[in-house]
Amino acid sequence: MWADTLLILFISVCTALLGEGLTWLMVYRTEKYQKLKSEVERQSKRLEKRKEAHGDSLDKQQKRKIEREEEKLKQNNRDLSLVKMKSMFAIGFAFTALLSMFNNIFDGRVVARLPFLPISWIQGLSHRNLPGDDYYDCSFIFLYILCTMSIRQNTQKILGFAPSRTASKQGGIFGAPPQAFK
Amino acid sequence: MATKTKTTEKNGSNGASTIKQPALESVWVRAFKSESEWPDKEEFLDVIYWARQFLGIAVGILWGLIPLKGFVALLLFALVNAGIVYMYCTSFQKVDEEEYGGAWELTKEGFMTSFAGFLVTWIIFYTGLHSEGFRKDL
C-alpha cells in the first residue's frame, strides 16, 4: 500500500511539472503574456499606491482617476486571462485524459489509510470505487487531489509563475471587480 | 526563461528596497532576526507563506510518527499553524498587522496549501508506519 502512496506522490509531482512546463511553452514564454503580466503588475502597484494616498479623500478628480485606472486594469486582466484560456483548455483536456488513465490503473485499490474519518460529503471522493465500507480507506483520486493542491501551487511559486498578490488583490485573475479599498 | 522572470522579479523587489534601505540584510537573515524591517510587504508575506509550508510538512510528519488521529489532530494542526505564525508576526517580528490588511490576512496566507501539504505527509507517514495491521492483504 505504501508503494502506491509514494507512487501517487511521484505522479503528482510529475504532472505538476509537466503542467507548468506545458503552460510555459504555450503561455508564459510568449511575448504577449509577458507584456500583459508586467503591465498588470505595474498598474496594480500604481493603483494601490494611489489608493493609499488618496483613498479617503473626497477629491472628485482623484476618484475619477482611480476609477479610470481600475477600468484599465480590469481590461488588462481580462486580456491576460484570455491569453491563458486557450492553452489552459488544451492542457485541461490532456490532464483529464491522463487522470482517467490513472483512475483505471488504481481502480478499486486502497492506496492509503486515512488517520481520520472524512466527513460524509468527502467520503464520496475519499472512498471512490473502493470495495467495502471502511471509510478510513483512501482512494487514488482523493490522495491525488491533495498532492496536486500542495505541489502545484508551491511549484508555481518556486518557478515564479504564480500571480503576484497585488495583482490578484487589485483585479483578480479573471477580471473580478476590484475590492473596495478600506 | 522562467529563471529570468524570477530573477527579474527578485531584482525588482530587491532593487526597490535597496533604494530605501541600502544596508538591508538578505531575506533569510531578516526572517530569523527579531523585529526586522520589511519595506517590501511581498517579501514578508513570502516568508510567512514558506514558513507555513514548512510547518505543515513538519507537523504532518510529527502527527504521522506519533500517530495522532482523528478530528482532534486536524484541529490541533489548525491551532498550531495559525498560532505559531500569528506569534511569529506579532511577538517575534512585531509587524503592524493593519499594514497587511489585518490579522486575518496574515493568518490565511498560504493556509490551504499548507493544510494540503500537512494532510499528504500525515497520510503518507501514517500509512507507512501504522496501517499494516489493518489490511495485511494489501
Side-chain angles (χ1 to χ4, degrees):
Chain A
M1 183 162 33
W2 209 31
D4 282 347
T5 317
L6 295 176
L7 181 65
I8 291 167
L9 183 69
F10 179 70
I11 288 172
S12 58
V13 171
C14 290
T15 47
L17 288 176
L18 189 71
E20 287 312 301
L22 283 176
T23 321
W24 175 78
L25 213 66
M26 295 165 84
V27 183
Y28 298 144
R29 73 179 181 140
T30 58
E31 206 176 305
K32 195 176 175 190
Y33 173 82
Q34 283 177 2
K35 222 170 107 184
L36 272 172
K37 199 188 172 200
S38 58
E39 181 74 9
V40 165
E41 306 253 313
R42 204 169 46 84
Q43 277 182 340
S44 306
K45 279 199 177 134
R46 205 173 51 198
L47 187 60
E48 201 179 54
K49 269 189 197 149
R50 200 182 277 269
K51 276 180 173 177
E52 261 172 39
H54 307 284
D56 295 329
S57 76
L58 293 166
D59 189 352
K60 268 191 181 169
Q61 206 184 345
Q62 287 297 344
K63 267 191 177 171
R64 222 170 316 152
K65 263 186 192 170
I66 290 176
E67 271 169 24
R68 220 171 8 216
E69 280 198 20
E70 273 178 350
E71 204 50 50
K72 249 195 254 170
L73 183 63
K74 248 199 276 186
Q75 184 59 43
N76 275 339
N77 258 328
R78 252 195 301 262
D79 291 347
L80 194 65
S81 44
L82 268 178
V83 171
K84 274 178 151 184
M85 196 91 85
K86 265 189 239 161
S87 58
M88 288 296 178
F89 269 124
I91 293 166
F93 276 122
F95 275 80
T96 315
L98 214 61
L99 188 68
S100 67
M101 185 189 86
F102 287 127
N103 238 339
N104 282 336
I105 294 171
F106 289 100
D107 194 35
R109 257 160 78 175
V110 178
V111 296
R113 180 93 187 153
L114 295 175
F116 59 95
L117 187 66
I119 43 174
S120 53
W121 57 273
I122 289 184
Q123 279 172 7
L125 206 65
S126 71
H127 204 73
R128 178 156 291 192
N129 293 339
L130 292 185
D133 52 6
D134 183 356
Y135 289 107
Y136 285 97
D137 285 344
C138 177
S139 67
F140 159 77
I141 194 78
F142 185 62
L143 190 63
Y144 180 77
I145 288 173
L146 283 180
C147 287
T148 308
M149 261 173 80
S150 68
I151 293 165
R152 190 97 201 249
Q153 201 174 339
N154 286 335
T155 317
Q156 278 186 344
K157 231 173 152 51
I158 290 170
L159 298 175
F161 295 153
S164 86
R165 289 185 191 88
T166 336
S168 23
K169 202 170 121 194
Q170 290 298 331
I173 204 67
F174 292 108
Q179 290 169 350
F181 188 75
K182 281 203 283 184
Chain B
M1 201 66 216
T3 337
K4 197 181 165 191
T5 322
K6 205 183 163 192
T7 325
T8 322
E9 276 178 12
K10 272 194 171 173
N11 285 345
S13 57
N14 283 348
S17 53
T18 324
I19 297 163
K20 287 176 205 163
Q21 290 282 330
L24 220 54
E25 289 156 310
S26 89
V27 180
W28 279 96
V29 178
R30 277 183 290 150
F32 288 104
K33 215 169 95 182
S34 179
E35 293 178 51
S36 303
E37 277 183 60
W38 299 98
D40 188 357
K41 283 183 198 170
E42 291 273 320
E43 265 184 356
F44 184 62
L45 289 173
D46 276 345
V47 168
I48 292 190
Y49 179 89
W50 289 114
R52 267 236 154 86
Q53 306 316 308
F54 172 75
L55 202 66
I57 291 170
V59 174
I61 293 173
L62 193 70
W63 273 207
L65 289 174
I66 296 174
L68 262 181
K69 287 189 282 184
F71 184 68
V72 182
L74 287 169
L75 199 73
L76 218 59
F77 161 76
L79 285 178
V80 167
N81 193 308
I84 289 181
V85 171
Y86 187 71
M87 292 283 279
Y88 175 78
C89 295
T90 54
S91 303
F92 188 71
Q93 293 291 351
K94 293 194 178 146
V95 295
D96 179 15
E97 40 190 67
E98 287 309 316
E99 260 183 54
Y100 294 87
W104 176 243
E105 286 296 320
L106 289 174
T107 314
K108 75 173 190 187
E109 177 63 38
F111 185 83
M112 276 320 280
T113 325
S114 153
F115 184 59
F118 156 74
L119 281 179
V120 170
T121 38
W122 187 30
I123 291 170
I124 288 176
F125 273 79
Y126 180 79
T127 306
L129 300 171
H130 307 284
S131 71
E132 291 311 307
F134 295 102
R135 316 271 302 206
K136 283 220 159 59
D137 52 319
L138 289 165

